[in-house]
Every structure is written in structure tokens, then in C-alpha cells.
Amino acid sequence: MARFGTVVTAMVTPFAPDGSLDLDAARDLARWLVDHGTEGIVVAGTTGESAVLTDPERIDLFRAVREAVTVPVVAGATTNDTAHSVEMTRAAAAAGVDAVLAVVPYYNKPSQAGLDGHFRAVAAASDLPVMLYDVPGRTGRALAADTIVRLAAEVPTVVALKDAGGDPARPLRLAGRVPDGFEVYSGDEPLNLGFAAYGAVGVVGVASHWTAPRQRALFDAVAAGDLAAARRLDAELQSSYRFMNTDERVFSQSVKVALEVLGVRVGECRLPLGPAPAGSDDEARRVLADCGFAL
């Protein structure tokens, strides 16, 4: 079984109508996700609007979700500042989370040597397992395979990669170069079928807020060699994936609209995202009906 579960959901962060952090809603959402098939939770990742959370809010969120569920909780504790990332990793460990999601420092565009040093500093800040997060479309810098291999081989707590680099074959190329037990997760849901076929153990997803059982079934079908079933599931999931990210709406907004349609209280996004555009709820109803929800 994958260390953090096959389907790990990057949870949105609930806000009250006045824009304040709603910890009770966060606890309720975490439990709802587990009840609906999520096997692990990322808290305060990009989808969780980490960029607009204060440090105390993030720490309170780590603690609240950890207290609410028994599945692995992975903290989005890092930023593009190494010293700040070290501080927040220590705080996450004190809050009792199970692991840290460590994103490539964004905007700075460090060299591979800088990335190596950054991730070593984060790993040294606690005993928590570290999941590297490569998402060059957001950070402006890709994490090279040689850097991943070196960190995995030399830093015992670097145990996984969330790969949103758009190359489903990378798990295959990393296999044999990284230690046994190092796991690659798809970080791009529309590419799950390819990632699964090339050896990814699961997905850190967003549409998984409501599609977790089907995404788990897809990975199970690939593992069982039933590619026909996997392709069928992948086709069924595409409408949810398309709903997630458009020119008018991004992941956090889309998820919050869908959850509100389902009766799960999460509020709107903080600026600069703000509320989803008009008509998004109608789109969400169509997508959720396709997934079998009775609305």
C-alpha cells in the first residue's frame, strides 16, 4: 500500500463569510473527504490557498485536521524562503502531522544546487517524511531527475515525489535510480492513467474531493492489468477534470463551488482569487450528476 494512501486530496481551506479561517468547517470537510474515499489529506497546499494564509492560520489548520481524521495528513509547510520553510516545518511537526509537502521554491528560480540545499534544510528541520513537489508551471523551475535521485539516495526522510511536471513516464525513468520505497504520485489528474501505467503509486488530487473512489479504482485497475477498465474510468473522470481549471476559474474556486453544491460548507476563496464566476454552480451540478451524486 502507498505510504500516504493511493488517493490523497489536496484539501481546500474553508473560510467564514467574513473571510476568517473556519476551523470547524475544516474539521468537518476533512472527515467528509475520508467518508467519501480520500485516503490521505494535504493541508495548506496550493489548492488550500496557502499563499493567503498567515503562519498562525496554517499551524492552526494543521492541528485541526490532524485532530479530525486518522488518515495521513501532509502539511504544505514550505515557501520560497528556506529559513521560513524550516521554521514552518518545525511548527508542522509540533502540530502532529505525518509528513511535509515541500514545493520547489517559486519565483526565485534557483539552480539545481539551490534546490538541493533547500530541500536538505527542510528535511533536516524535523524527522517527518518529505514529499517533494515539482510543479514547474507554477514555480518557474523544474526539479531535475538527478536532483530527485540524489536527495532520495542521500536524505533518508525524502520518500516521495508529487509530480506535476507533465511527464507521466518519469516514474519509469526514476525506477531503479531511487531507493526501494521511494514513491511517485501523479500531481496532474488528467494524466493519472499514464502515471499509473508507468509506476506511480497514486495521485495527489483536487477533483478527488468528489471522485476519490473512481480514482482509486483506476489505479487498482492498472495494477491488476485491466487497462480496459482503467480507460473507461479515465474517460468518466474527464468531465470533472475539465471543470477544475478554465480561463475563468481555477482549482480552489471550482472545488469550493462543487462542495457548496453538495452541501459542504467551505465559503469562498480569499482574494486574489475571490468567488467563482456566475454560472459555476450550474456547471458543478452537471459534473456532479455525471459522477452519480443525487442533487
Side-chain angles (χ1 to χ4, degrees), residues 122-145:
V122 168
S126 79
D127 294 328
L128 292 175
V130 175
M131 179 188 290
L132 305 174
Y133 180 17
D134 186 24
V135 56
R138 287 185 178 269
T139 65
R141 177 69 75 201
L143 184 60

Side-chain angles (χ1 to χ4, degrees), residues 37-225:
T38 287
E39 299 166 344
I41 296 174
V42 169
V43 181
T46 307
T47 302
E49 298 180 73
S50 57
V52 297
L53 296 173
T54 67
D55 288 354
E57 285 177 329
R58 281 206 283 172
I59 294 165
D60 286 347
L61 193 58
F62 297 157
R63 187 175 294 112
V65 175
R66 175 63 288 164
E67 292 170 353
V69 297
T70 58
V71 301
V73 174
V74 183
T78 70
T79 69
N80 63 340
D81 172 356
T82 303
H84 186 204
S85 299
V86 165
E87 177 185 348
M88 288 302 297
T89 296
R90 290 172 178 155
V97 302
D98 299 286
V100 169
L101 179 69
V103 67
V104 166
Y106 38 88
Y107 192 75
N108 311 44
K109 299 186 75 172
S111 66
Q112 294 299 314
L115 295 178
D116 183 283
H118 173 84
F119 289 124
R120 288 177 190 269
V122 168
S126 79
D127 294 328
L128 292 175
V130 175
M131 179 188 290
L132 305 174
Y133 180 17
D134 186 24
V135 56
R138 287 185 178 269
T139 65
R141 177 69 75 201
L143 184 60
D146 287 348
T147 306
I148 296 167
V149 169
R150 185 165 57 251
L151 289 166
E154 298 178 6
V155 184
T157 53
V158 173
V159 298
L161 169 69
K162 177 185 175 182
D163 193 336
D167 180 5
R170 185 149 70 162
L172 180 64
R173 292 198 299 275
L174 289 174
R177 299 186 65 198
V178 293
D180 291 343
F182 184 86
E183 297 176 330
V184 178
Y185 284 79
S186 166
D188 195 347
E189 286 168 310
L191 301 180
N192 277 357
L193 180 57
F195 270 100
Y198 281 111
V201 299
V203 57
V204 179
V206 183
S208 57
H209 278 80
W210 64 88
T211 63
R214 292 190 185 194
Q215 293 203 47
R216 172 61 193 262
L218 185 152
F219 278 87
D220 286 349
V222 172

Side-chain angles (χ1 to χ4, degrees), residues 224-247:
D226 190 350
L227 295 183
R231 286 194 294 268
R232 183 178 64 253
L233 287 160
D234 186 61
E236 292 172 357
L237 287 161
Q238 290 302 317
S239 62
S240 289
Y241 300 157
R242 287 192 297 271
F243 171 73
M244 295 309 303
N245 194 33
T246 70
D247 289 340

